[in-house]
Amino acid sequence: MGKEKKTESYDNGSYNYKMFKCFNRKFKINEVQPTDDVRDAFCQFAVGCGGGGGDGDSSDGDASSGVMGAEQLCSFLDDHQGDSGTTVAEAQRLIDDVIRRRHHVTRFTRHGLDLDDFFNFLFYDDLNPPITPHVHQDMSAPLSHYFIYTGHNSYLTGNQLSSDCSEVPVIKALQRGVRVIELDLWPNSTGTDINVLHGRTLTTPVPLISCLKAIRDYAFSSSPYPVIITLEDHLTADLQAKVAEMATLIFGEMLYYPESESLAEFPSPASLLHRIMISTKPPKEYLESSNPIVKQKDNNNASPSSEEETPRKEEIQTLESILFYEDCCENKNDSDQEEEEASEEQKPAYKRLITIHAGKPKGTVKEEMKVVVDKVRRLSLSEQELDRTCSSNSQDVVRFTQRNILRIYPKGTRFNSSNYKPLSGWIHGAQMIAFNMQGYGKSLWLMHGMFRANGGCGYVKKPNFLMKKGFHDEVFDPRKKIPVKVYMGDGWRLDFSHTHFDSYSPPDFYTKVYIVGVPVDNAKRKTRVIEDNWYPIWDEEFSFPLTVPELALLRIEVSEYDMSDKDDFGGQTCLPVSELRPGIRSVPLYDKKGEKMKSVKLLMRFIFE
């Protein structure tokens, strides 16, 4: 609602809203003020208002007369925010930065923060972020010890059936921190070169060389840790040799491959800084998989009542859907059947470049997941195969992922590039949860949230209980609570027109707070609606008990209440609970596609009990 053309009607600290083209409603803009908790924290540590210099109890102080210098800010960051290790010099730089941003040039002689400066400091998400902004986890363990930021059909600009293929989505994914890029390789129309496209659909191809050059140029734009290219190979032996030549020439020293034919253990992310690896099925194994009976057998074992397994008749009536369904539905794996069987004499260069050997179940998934002592590999399962396997053999999945890599990909009927819930894979240790990054939705928000952890480097260390004795270890039983307090929000009036949410009055905002994790931890809370206010102050606290905080995500969504229509979207974010920093924090919000909003943010407090 309220998407009328904006008419400028802001003056003297108020907004005018036209009703029926003849009446005006005027709403005063209330200046946002520090909450009681912010005032108390300032008085506790500042000099001159009951804190810092030992002048008395903070509750009796006058916050307007206090000043927080570098030493007092150090104490606040250490005692209240849990940011130990901040030096006085670093605190002074923070103070100077805040004063510079607020243009208080005359205050440089004082080198301290008053209450308003302190309040603004808390709202700067780059100076006071909600999670640790740098890499802090051990990066020297094998790759199988990490969740890895993984894309699916990384070259598609839109849906799975008819959108364009391009290197641009690859670039965007790498800039966001994605570490696994998937490319489907097919011969071009003359059979002399290689295209990247979603096979047997109406998607338009992009030359492989364009994608490889994009990966070379942007692989480490947001993270120095290794990029893995997963290839779905539908090529002849000659074209495979051409791929090897391209990769070698374009990537040069960036390309990593082991000296031995197979790995006994995966290398670590720290040992592969600024390196690129290839993962696909070795050519010899392609020959062994030329018979599709195994796939058909696996599909026939599925429950006939499941609509996820087989699309309804009305869903495959279009030409695009028929083409896609015949080729891909439930048969898509990291090695689909080749259009032409490769010759038995494969060029050795292509196979030599494969660092992570991939495969698909040739028999039962349980048999395929048997751990081999001296060899590690990657196995791919669809989201439905994962659910079926975990329902009966969950410990086998966890055991397999302790040394090997498990990749989960979307079911073939997600024509619109939607995504599935990633928690099931993470709970069982699956490292590569392959997502359509060009889409958007709540599942993708969870993916964004998970990989904001560890400085956004694209690798998140798996919880210890998944690496030691399995998910059902009886010793593992931590029970934690995380109280979350939502103080206020700001920035909407700077990013939206005054009639964006409502044509006749300021917005009515409320906040929903979710915990998304193992089933017993899932929870939802909601603040009250603050009516007619661009600066909503909720000042509400919620407490969430957690059994597995290592896999819990805190999802936050702000909506604008609409009495007569669907509530309007006001911003969202998702944060890994294990990365949350205690204290009062600035929490920036993102749009539906996961792009950071320019000004919109919340002020929140996190407490760990």
Side-chain angles (χ1 to χ4, degrees):
M1 67 174 290
K3 303 301 186 292
E4 295 182 357
K5 183 178 179 181
K6 177 180 177 182
T7 57
E8 194 62 46
S9 56
Y10 168 77
D11 70 317
N12 297 325
S14 64
Y15 274 126
N16 292 332
Y17 291 83
K18 277 189 174 293
M19 292 188 67
F20 311 117
K21 298 185 179 181
C22 56
F23 297 107
N24 280 338
R25 301 179 73 194
K26 180 175 287 190
F27 291 86
K28 183 180 179 181
I29 299 176
N30 298 317
E31 185 176 351
V32 63
Q33 296 291 332
T35 65
D36 290 341
D37 282 0
V38 173
R39 289 177 180 274
D40 290 345
F42 181 77
C43 283
Q44 181 181 350
F45 293 94
V47 174
C49 66
D55 295 338
D57 185 84
S58 63
S59 61
D60 298 326
D62 179 9
S64 62
S65 62
V67 176
M68 184 177 286
E71 291 185 1
Q72 292 78 39
L73 182 58
C74 262
S75 297
F76 166 76
L77 294 174
D78 188 9
D79 299 342
H80 192 279
Q81 302 289 83
D83 296 341
S84 59
T86 304
T87 65
V88 174
E90 290 170 340
Q92 188 60 59
R93 283 195 291 271
L94 289 174
I95 290 173
D96 293 343
D97 196 350
V98 171
I99 293 174
R100 188 181 303 110
R101 295 186 192 193
R102 301 199 71 215
H103 307 292
H104 295 317
V105 179
T106 58
R107 298 190 188 181
F108 273 108
T109 58
R110 191 169 61 187
H111 298 293
L113 303 178
D114 62 16
L115 176 60
D116 287 338
D117 294 330
F118 176 72
F119 180 46
N120 277 269
F121 160 72
L122 292 177
F123 246 129
Y124 289 140
D125 60 89
D126 58 330
L127 302 182
N128 184 39
I131 61 176
T132 305
H134 55 267
V135 176
H136 59 91
Q137 297 176 354
D138 175 21
M139 303 299 287
S140 62
L143 290 172
S144 57
H145 289 223
Y146 299 86
F147 298 126
I148 309 174
Y149 208 173
T150 303
H152 173 258
N153 288 352
S154 304
Y155 49 86
L156 287 179
T157 58
N159 68 64
Q160 303 286 309
L161 299 174
S162 59
S163 64
D164 292 334
C165 301
S166 170
E167 71 276 13
V168 174
V170 174
I171 294 172
K172 289 182 177 179
L174 292 169
Q175 290 175 330
R176 189 182 285 277
V178 173
R179 298 292 84 190
V180 182
I181 299 295
E182 182 188 29
L183 303 177
D184 290 71
L185 309 184
W186 293 82
N188 67 358
S189 57
T190 62
T192 58
D193 208 346
I194 304 106
N195 282 336
V196 175
L197 74 154
H198 199 193
R200 300 195 183 100
T201 66
L202 300 182
T203 55
T204 56
V206 60
L208 172 63
I209 192 169
S210 298
C211 294
L212 296 183
K213 287 181 178 179
I215 293 172
R216 177 197 63 192
D217 296 340
Y218 292 90
F220 308 108
S221 58
S222 64
S223 170
Y225 290 97
V227 167
I228 302 169
I229 305 174
T230 60
L231 300 179
E232 289 198 20
D233 178 357
H234 308 268
L235 303 176
T236 62
D238 289 342
L239 290 181
Q240 287 176 344
K242 190 167 185 176
V243 171
E245 182 181 1
M246 277 187 191
T248 303
L249 290 175
I250 292 173
F251 296 139
E253 293 297 320
M254 299 168 71
L255 186 62
Y256 170 84
Y257 49 89
E259 294 181 2
S260 59
E261 186 172 319
S262 61
L263 296 171
E265 184 178 64
F266 289 119
S268 69
S271 69
L272 296 170
L273 293 177
H274 298 101
R275 303 300 292 271
I276 296 172
M277 293 180 287
I278 292 176
S279 176
T280 187
K281 204 167 190 178
K284 181 180 178 181
E285 292 182 41
Y286 271 88
L287 298 176
E288 295 173 357
S289 66
S290 60
N291 191 338
I293 293 177
V294 172
K295 289 182 178 179
Q296 295 172 359
K297 179 181 178 181
D298 191 58
N299 288 338
N300 291 337
N301 290 334
S303 169
S305 63
S306 173
E307 290 187 359
E308 290 188 351
E309 301 298 314
T310 305
R312 295 187 298 272
K313 183 177 179 179
E314 59 268 22
E315 288 181 322
I316 57 171
Q317 292 305 304
T318 65
L319 173 60
E320 297 95 328
S321 298
I322 293 171
L323 289 170
F324 181 84
Y325 176 65
E326 288 178 347
D327 180 56
C328 299
C329 181
E330 293 307 327
N331 289 331
K332 189 178 187 303
N333 212 308
D334 46 274
S335 296
D336 288 324
Q337 306 308 314
E338 292 183 288
E339 193 168 27
E340 295 180 9
E341 189 173 302
S343 68
E344 294 189 17
E345 294 183 1
Q346 296 289 339
K347 299 289 177 67
Y350 182 75
K351 184 176 182 179
R352 181 171 56 88
L353 298 184
I354 301 172
T355 299
I356 302 176
H357 288 207
K360 63 183 182 64
K362 299 175 183 177
T364 65
V365 176
K366 182 178 176 66
E367 291 175 352
E368 189 66 27
M369 284 193 171
K370 289 181 179 178
V371 177
V372 180
V373 176
D374 59 347
K375 184 179 180 181
V376 291
R377 63 195 190 283
R378 171 171 71 83
L379 182 67
S380 285
L381 299 177
S382 69
E383 57 179 287
Q384 301 104 313
E385 288 173 324
L386 175 72
D387 290 341
R388 292 196 297 268
T389 303
C390 290
S391 64
S392 57
N393 301 293
S394 61
Q395 292 186 5
D396 292 329
V397 177
V398 174
R399 191 175 296 110
F400 178 82
T401 58
Q402 288 177 343
R403 296 191 67 245
N404 301 278
I405 290 177
L406 180 61
R407 173 179 172 268
I408 310 302
Y409 58 91
K411 61 184 179 182
T413 53
R414 292 189 180 275
F415 306 136
N416 61 350
S417 294
S418 63
N419 289 298
Y420 50 100
K421 294 180 180 180
L423 265 298
S424 178
W426 288 331
I427 289 169
H428 290 84
Q431 295 87 350
M432 296 183 179
I433 307 297
F435 259 38
N436 294 305
M437 297 297 170
Q438 75 275 25
Y440 58 90
K442 294 177 181 178
S443 292
L444 190 55
W445 298 349
L446 297 179
M447 179 66 67
H448 292 164
M450 169 63 88
F451 287 100
R452 289 190 180 109
N454 202 24
C457 72
Y459 288 83
V460 177
K461 194 81 157 49
K462 295 201 292 186
N464 286 334
F465 70 84
L466 285 174
M467 300 309 303
K468 289 183 177 178
K469 296 182 181 178
F471 183 70
H472 300 291
D473 187 341
E474 67 277 5
V475 177
F476 176 76
D477 190 22
R479 183 90 183 168
K480 294 185 179 180
K481 276 189 176 181
I482 172 174
V484 175
K485 192 164 188 177
V486 186
Y487 289 120
M488 63 178 68
D490 189 18
W492 288 280
R493 71 182 184 89
L494 300 176
D495 289 358
F496 299 93
S497 73
H498 77 286
T499 56
H500 177 85
F501 296 103
D502 196 318
S503 298
Y504 307 119
S505 66
D508 309 321
F509 288 123
Y510 66 92
T511 298
K512 293 174 285 186
V513 183
Y514 303 80
I515 290 290
V516 183
V518 298
V520 71
D521 286 346
N522 291 337
K524 174 185 175 182
R525 302 288 188 272
K526 187 172 76 171
T527 68
R528 68 189 186 280
V529 177
I530 302 299
E531 296 183 351
D532 300 333
N533 202 323
W534 286 96
Y535 301 104
I537 299 177
W538 298 284
D539 206 17
E540 294 186 42
E541 183 173 315
F542 309 109
S543 184
F544 298 97
L546 299 176
T547 56
V548 188
E550 295 90 340
L551 292 177
L553 297 170
L554 179 70
R555 189 169 81 78
I556 302 161
E557 184 175 351
V558 176
S559 298
E560 197 273 336
Y561 176 71
D562 193 326
M563 187 179 300
S564 60
D565 202 349
K566 183 179 179 181
D567 292 353
D568 294 317
F569 175 80
Q572 60 83 22
T573 191
C574 189
L575 303 169
V577 168
S578 61
E579 296 273 320
L580 290 175
R581 305 166 74 192
I584 301 172
R585 301 291 177 180
S586 175
V587 180
L589 297 187
Y590 299 76
D591 62 18
K592 289 184 176 181
K593 292 187 176 181
E595 301 296 330
K596 186 178 178 181
M597 291 179 164
K598 184 178 180 180
S599 309
V600 180
K601 61 195 71 173
L602 301 178
L603 193 65
M604 303 181 67
R605 183 177 185 179
F606 308 111
I607 307 169
F608 295 93
E609 297 179 351

